[in-house]
Amino acid sequence: ATAHPWEDWAETFAHYLHMIDTLEMAQAFGMRVDPVVTQDPALSSEVTFDPHATQDIAALVAAWLPLTFALNSLNRTMGETDLYPFVIAPLVVEKLGFVARVVHAAS
């Protein structure tokens, strides 16, 4: 998506919306990720905030990554491909943060 700025914006914005909507649904179901297979705190998560209201991209990503790791693990046990087959690089986090700032500035 980095070939054209508009395409890059569209892909990043769509990714941001997927994150927000999925985190909102995880919160609505009271989902939390607290794996017993590891004590790594980076793999634990509970959405205790309104994803639509937060501009803190670090908080969104910190909740998002453990959730997607758990969902991918569940899919794999069922013989399916990863639900979320992406790695969020630091540059992508910056882009997502920009999208969050634009969205909240407009509201």
Side-chain angles (χ1 to χ4, degrees):
T2 58
H4 192 281
W6 289 3
E7 182 184 4
D8 193 31
W9 166 262
E11 292 291 333
T12 305
F13 186 70
H15 201 100
Y16 173 77
L17 291 177
H18 288 309
M19 289 174 64
I20 296 298
D21 290 342
T22 305
L23 290 171
E24 177 188 36
M25 191 56 57
Q27 180 192 39
F29 274 91
M31 294 177 71
R32 83 174 206 219
V33 178
D34 189 17
V36 295
V37 296
T38 181
Q39 297 302 313
D40 185 353
L43 291 179
S44 295
S45 175
E46 185 173 8
V47 185
T48 58
F49 57 89
D50 178 359
H52 291 278
T54 187
Q55 295 182 51
D56 182 1
I57 198 63
L60 291 170
V61 171
W64 177 249
L65 293 179
L67 178 64
T68 60
F69 183 77
L71 292 171
N72 285 346
S73 296
L74 288 168
N75 265 23
R76 290 174 188 171
T77 64
M78 297 297 295
E80 298 295 329
T81 59
D82 285 352
L83 181 68
Y84 184 78
F86 306 104
V87 173
I88 301 180
L91 180 59
V92 175
V93 173
E94 289 180 35
K95 291 178 183 185
L96 290 166
F98 175 73
V99 169
R101 288 189 300 277
V102 169
V103 166
H104 287 278
S107 60

